[in-house]
Amino acid sequence: MRIGFTESEYARVRDWLVAAIDTNPDVISEGTLLEKLRFNEWQLLTTENAACVLQLCEHEGERIANVVLLGGKRNGSLREIMGTHIVLCDFLRELKFTKLVGTPRKEWHQFLKQNGFKQQEKEFIKELI
């Protein structure tokens, strides 16, 4: 897992992230995504076959990691994301984050429930403590 934005790494994973944006275009544009990544407001995490964009924030004294986007190589990313999710949660715990949250596409609901996420309306939340 690689953490941090570079133009070259973004170019490598761009198609995956744009495809994720295209599934819900009302939420974010690529221009906004790039601006927030370039100014370190959001963090880019990548693996060989997948990319994730996190917003790290604090709310009511809790450190929360919000999954803004998640995408990957067709027929190559799901297994990798499943394994990387464990590493990501451990990493966030070390940094004293208490929750990992996101609003996933329906295809992800079963995987998230099997991996400790609880659904609250449209959002899925995993307690990290």
Side-chain angles (χ1 to χ4, degrees), residues 54-103:
L54 288 179
Q55 175 187 27
L56 306 176
C57 53
E58 202 164 311
H59 179 71
E60 296 179 359
E62 285 189 290
R63 297 183 79 186
I64 299 169
N66 178 39
V67 177
V68 177
L69 283 175
L70 181 62
K73 181 178 178 181
R74 187 173 296 278
N75 299 321
S77 63
L78 182 57
R79 182 170 286 131
E80 196 167 298
I81 290 168
M82 290 167 60
T84 303
H85 141 268
I86 296 166
V87 175
L88 174 60
C89 287
D90 288 344
F91 175 73
L92 291 170
R93 279 185 198 98
E94 286 179 24
L95 296 176
K96 307 297 185 216
F97 280 82
T98 57
K99 292 180 183 169
L100 177 61
V101 301
T103 307

Side-chain angles (χ1 to χ4, degrees), residues 32-45:
T32 299
L33 172 65
L34 275 168
E35 180 180 319
K36 293 193 177 280
L37 288 170
R38 286 178 175 142
F39 288 101
N40 284 327
E41 292 178 42
W42 291 350
Q43 303 304 311
L44 179 65
L45 287 78

Side-chain angles (χ1 to χ4, degrees), residues 85 104 106-121 123-126:
H85 141 268
K106 196 170 201 160
E107 298 86 21
W108 285 96
H109 290 194
Q110 189 62 28
F111 166 76
L112 294 172
K113 288 176 183 177
Q114 291 172 347
N115 285 278
F117 285 80
K118 305 291 184 211
Q119 187 172 1
Q120 292 183 359
E121 297 181 25
E123 210 170 52
F124 278 71
I125 300 171
K126 181 166 187 171

